[in-house]
Amino acid sequence: MSEIPETASGVVWQSSPPGSIYDYIRVASFSIGPDGLVEQWSRRAVELFGVTAEDAMGKDPVEAFMPADLRERGHRRVKEILDGREWTGLVPFRIPGEDRPRGIAEMYVMPSETASGRRAALCIVVDVRALRRIETDLAASQAIFGQSPFGFLLFGTDLTVKRANRRFATVFGGSADDHRGRTVHDYLPRGEADRMTAALRKVLETGESVADLQIVGAAPGSTDRRQWSINLYRVHGGTGRPVGVAGLGIDVTRRHNAAREAASARRNLALLNEAGARIGTSLDLEATARELLAVAVPGFCDLAAVDLYQGLLTGDEAPPGRMGGSHDVGYGAGSAELRRVAVASAVSDSRVQVGRPRAAGDDDEAARAAGAAGADREVCCDDGPIELGSVHRYPFNSPCAGALRTGRVHTVPGADGSLVQSTLVVPMVAHDTVVGLVQFSRAKGSEPFGERDRALAVELAARAAVCIDNARLYRREHERALILQRSLLPPGDPEAAGLDIACRYLPGTAATEVGGDWFDVIQLPGHRTALVVGDVMGRGLRAAVAMGELRTAVRTLAQLDLEPAEVLSHLDEIARGLGAPGGTQQSARTHKARGPELSEVYLATCVYAVYDPVTRRCTFANAGHLPPVLVEPGEEALLLDVPPGMPLGVGGEPFEEVEVELPEGALLALYTDGLVESRDHPLDEGLSAFRSALSNPGRPLEDVCDHVLSTLDTRHGEDDIALLMARIQGLPAEAVGDWRLPREPRSVGRARELARAQLTTWGLEALVDTVELLVSELVTNALRYGEGEIRLRLLRDRTLVCEVWDAGLVQPRRRRAKDTDEGGRGLQLVGLLSAAWGSRRTPRGKTVWFELPLPDGDGLAEPTVDQLLSMF
């Protein structure tokens, strides 16, 4: 027995199924007695006609309910009915007391008999308006249900299909009637069917509609995944009872795909934007590879790895791999050594691995044979993972090697038993140069790679490749700049006679490590030493190049053995010509007119000092540089009063010299302004701090340098720093032999005797014969071509130096004597037998000198016959 609905007339016992026609149509009844008057009046008749039973009983129905113009005809029909005839028809009716008809009733009159056998009639009445509404609603429902472009289903209370429309049948096959009695499990995968069933049950129980329920499935006979949007609502009968659930399904596959494509495009744009911001923030190759993977995992893939050519990481000059036209040229045909520099994974399962190639030495012949046979199975990873930092090679026929050779993307399916679904093997190409390889992998269950993903992978790899190639080029140029810088600075432990030397150089820019500051220690004849510190205005490689030119010029001028002021004067002329076209000289006014950029590069300050260890006197000349600092034993550090002069490149002003006698054990410091000046403190404070840092000069010189750099602010990064420190030792008196000889022929023999005696005292008997011969030649030339008194001096330090002084100004010149000449071979002999020789001007004449190495126990090498014959 079904539930009992409430009506206006009372309780109706109902056992018909939900949706019965009687839920929508109210049937009224009444009876007419043998006298033609109403005998019975049902409650439904009360509802239909609006007349109570009390008012209707005993009335003539024709007179009471029919309009006046139809009563005659009505009486005739009633008489016929009482005579035993049935009748069905439409009868207008009115409410008693009203003039106008209220409606039209469809009446079915059937004869009946009373208990006494008299004729009577039973009348069944239906309101025609209700029937017409039902017909109209049914037609509309049929049109909407049948002609809807969307799939329409009506589920009963048992959740089976009661009705399906034509559109649904078109998609899922058969006719609409074939789907009656089916359930959602007949159409959907189990998981989706369970979701749909739960939604149907909830709608049926609660009456709450469900909108846009996303269901994924496939039509019968098709493997294409379709996406449907389902709308569900509960359907009620005329009595208000639930009769089922209506479902409207819309195929939104295209819309879903479009939305997914749009989401993918937005994701890709976001990834590219992130890549532009995060990749290439440093000029470190491995850091750039890690930045690439930080962007790609997990936003683009589940795990990834980057391999770079080993030659790229070790700084080889040749590009790792270059593609050209139709010929794919790879470094080592795509099988050169690579290093795994970065790995990232968003998958914790240990079975998920990236790109392990077969180890070097595996059977590549089998792989080549498989490739020649047309095998299309690309297997690149079958031997386990590659460790981070390991160096490896890819087999020649592997997809990875192919991608490196051709510069094209390869898709590699996951191996059996692996959780990797597929891998994109993407070469990293920058400026037609392959620099490495990146592998993007997605685990099973993730969305497969599409064409848009391939394009994004290429773009990500290309951006990283450009950054890596830039880093490679930067590192190469940086190394070249370092080579230039280091080649222009003296070796770590320069040596000089009578001096203990220590030096430091700190570039202001840690990124380039090159700058315009320089220092130098130059050996001069007579065991003298030139100490140089300079500072080119400007920073970086350009300043370093200018510094190199000036340093070379200083060394060249120093070899001429000029006075310090003369060296700076010539250097000033050179500096003024460096920026001019063709290196021509120009005036200071023209130089300034060239603009600040070029002027800064070729303006420089410099201190040039020449130290003589015999006299322990040092001659200074300054070109706009900070004054040297001298620390005498037991005294405080002081700034030497050396006239600063104008910077090199300005011109127009002469340079002055200052000669200072340096006591034994004193400390001399030459430096650049980066050591004592920065934005944080003025120059005066920096100089005071520098002098304080030199308060204990008795420590080892290297320790003094370290103490100065650790005490002062040397990490400001504003300017280069050069520091040159020398402790004065001087040559001991016993290492110097000094004699004055009269201007007469017998002085030649006297010079030989003095030289022999001094060498014997020093234990240098092995050099006696050579020195006697060469001293004889130089003293003879001084007598023949010189003037005034002759001075002979022997100096013993790391080498033996012999000097012959006279007052003449004519410099000796070596020439090749003719076969018929009786002389002219003395200087040739000096040049042949000595390690070095030369001459220099002095304030009172000139000095001619030669140098010999000290014997090492093997004796001095005698000149060969060919060398001796070369003089004739």
Side-chain angles (χ1 to χ4, degrees), residues 476-826:
R476 184 182 67 185
E477 296 305 318
H478 183 215
E479 289 175 352
R480 290 177 177 176
L482 285 179
I483 292 173
L484 170 64
Q485 181 80 43
R486 291 165 183 167
S487 67
L488 295 177
L489 295 176
D493 297 316
E495 295 181 353
L499 292 176
D500 181 16
I501 295 177
C503 50
R504 295 291 187 273
Y505 175 80
L506 299 177
T509 305
T512 59
E513 297 186 27
V514 294
D517 289 12
W518 90 93
F519 62 89
D520 210 344
V521 178
I522 306 171
Q523 301 294 327
L524 299 178
H527 288 313
R528 294 171 304 133
T529 302
L531 303 176
V532 188
V533 168
D535 182 1
V536 175
M537 296 184 184
R539 298 170 62 184
L541 184 60
R542 201 171 175 194
V545 171
M547 175 270 285
E549 294 177 329
L550 292 177
R551 178 179 181 270
T552 302
V554 170
R555 278 192 159 264
T556 302
L557 293 170
Q559 295 305 317
L560 298 177
D561 210 354
L562 303 176
E563 295 298 321
E566 291 184 78
V567 170
L568 293 186
S569 295
H570 287 294
L571 197 61
D572 177 62
E573 293 294 326
I574 293 171
R576 284 190 288 159
L578 288 178
T584 58
Q585 303 293 329
Q586 52 188 325
S587 66
R589 180 179 300 176
T590 305
H591 184 73
K592 293 178 181 177
R594 291 188 292 115
E597 183 180 357
L598 287 177
S599 298
E600 278 192 355
V601 171
Y602 294 109
L603 286 177
T605 63
C606 180
V607 169
Y608 185 88
V610 176
Y611 171 69
D612 188 342
V614 178
T615 62
R616 290 200 308 275
R617 301 187 70 84
C618 188
T619 304
F620 296 92
N622 191 352
H625 203 82
L626 294 174
V629 174
L630 179 65
V631 186
E632 297 185 5
E635 302 291 337
E636 293 185 355
L638 57 89
L639 299 176
L640 292 180
D641 186 14
V642 179
M646 298 299 292
L648 300 175
V650 174
E653 295 292 334
F655 297 98
E656 299 183 40
E657 292 181 357
V658 172
E659 188 176 67
V660 179
E661 184 173 351
L662 304 178
E664 185 78 15
L667 185 64
L668 178 67
L670 306 179
Y671 54 95
T672 57
D673 57 357
L675 180 66
V676 294
E677 185 178 24
S678 71
R679 295 190 184 96
D680 297 333
H681 55 77
L683 178 61
D684 291 343
E685 292 183 6
L687 288 172
S688 177
F690 180 37
R691 293 168 58 192
S692 298
L694 296 174
S695 59
N696 187 9
R699 292 178 296 178
L701 203 54
E702 293 292 337
D703 293 345
V704 175
C705 283
D706 293 337
H707 177 69
V708 168
L709 295 182
S710 62
T711 302
L712 302 182
D713 178 20
T714 59
R715 300 183 180 274
H716 49 71
E718 299 172 13
D719 199 0
D720 309 322
I721 295 174
L723 175 63
L724 177 61
M725 304 188 73
R727 176 169 283 122
I728 307 303
Q729 295 176 344
L731 286 181
E734 59 270 17
V736 178
D738 194 352
W739 307 275
R740 298 181 183 276
L741 303 172
R743 190 172 186 78
E744 55 187 28
R746 62 180 180 178
S747 293
V748 176
R750 178 60 179 163
R752 287 198 299 266
E753 292 175 1
L754 293 172
R756 183 187 308 110
Q758 186 64 63
L759 291 178
T760 301
T761 303
W762 287 340
L764 299 178
E765 290 83 356
L767 300 180
V768 169
D769 294 339
T770 303
V771 171
E772 281 189 341
L773 177 60
L774 299 185
V775 165
S776 178
E777 290 292 335
L778 294 187
V779 173
T780 300
N781 284 344
L783 289 172
R784 182 177 300 178
Y785 304 108
E787 298 178 6
E789 186 181 37
I790 299 173
R791 182 181 179 186
L792 173 65
R793 189 166 74 168
L794 294 179
L795 307 175
R796 180 179 182 273
D797 193 66
R798 295 187 308 275
T799 61
L800 177 68
V801 174
C802 177
E803 297 177 334
V804 175
W805 306 41
D806 70 81
L809 298 178
V810 178
Q811 298 273 35
R813 181 173 60 89
R814 183 177 176 179
R815 63 184 180 85
R816 179 174 294 276
K818 297 180 181 179
D819 294 343
T820 57
D821 290 346
E822 295 183 359
R825 297 180 178 85

Side-chain angles (χ1 to χ4, degrees), residues 11-174:
V11 176
V12 178
W13 295 93
Q14 181 174 335
S15 60
S16 59
S20 170
I21 188 65
Y22 295 106
D23 290 346
Y24 304 94
I25 300 176
R26 297 294 184 260
V27 180
S29 66
F30 64 92
S31 63
I32 301 176
D35 56 0
L37 301 178
V38 176
E39 287 187 343
Q40 294 179 343
W41 190 256
S42 67
R43 291 182 179 179
R44 288 286 178 87
V46 175
E47 295 176 5
L48 178 62
F49 294 105
V51 178
T52 64
E54 183 181 358
D55 293 336
M57 296 290 286
K59 296 283 183 69
D60 183 347
V62 175
E63 294 293 333
F65 303 112
M66 295 187 67
D69 57 341
L70 297 177
R71 289 173 184 172
E72 182 179 355
R73 185 178 177 185
H75 284 299
R76 189 168 56 251
R77 293 294 186 191
V78 171
K79 184 178 179 181
E80 292 175 355
I81 291 170
L82 293 177
D83 288 340
R85 297 182 61 182
E86 293 184 1
W87 179 80
T88 302
L90 299 177
V91 178
F93 65 90
R94 69 178 179 83
I95 302 298
E98 296 181 4
D99 295 333
R100 299 180 61 183
R102 184 180 179 185
I104 298 177
E106 185 175 27
M107 186 177 294
Y108 174 44
V109 183
M110 63 189 73
S112 64
E113 292 182 358
T114 64
S116 62
R118 297 180 65 185
R119 298 283 181 93
L122 177 64
C123 301
I124 298 175
V125 185
V126 178
D127 189 349
V128 174
R129 293 176 303 173
L131 290 175
R132 295 297 175 265
R133 285 198 302 269
I134 292 173
E135 290 173 353
T136 301
D137 292 346
L138 184 60
S141 174
Q142 182 62 30
I144 294 173
F145 195 84
Q147 300 174 25
S148 172
F150 311 116
F152 216 133
L153 286 176
L154 179 61
F155 295 91
T157 55
D158 59 353
L159 303 186
T160 61
V161 177
K162 300 301 181 184
R163 188 175 181 186
N165 72 343
R166 209 178 321 168
R167 175 60 182 166
F168 183 86
T170 301
V171 175
F172 287 93

Side-chain angles (χ1 to χ4, degrees), residues 432-492:
D432 293 333
T433 298
V434 180
V435 298
L437 189 76
V438 58
Q439 299 179 53
F440 301 108
S441 300
R442 286 183 179 174
K444 291 179 181 178
S446 298
E447 185 178 352
F449 287 116
E451 286 302 318
R452 192 186 299 273
D453 294 322
R454 289 170 63 95
L456 177 61
V458 171
E459 179 65 21
L460 289 175
R463 292 196 178 198
V466 169
C467 295
I468 287 174
D469 194 50
N470 289 341
R472 175 181 69 87
L473 295 175
Y474 165 78
R475 185 172 67 179
R476 184 182 67 185
E477 296 305 318
H478 183 215
E479 289 175 352
R480 290 177 177 176
L482 285 179
I483 292 173
L484 170 64
Q485 181 80 43
R486 291 165 183 167
S487 67
L488 295 177
L489 295 176

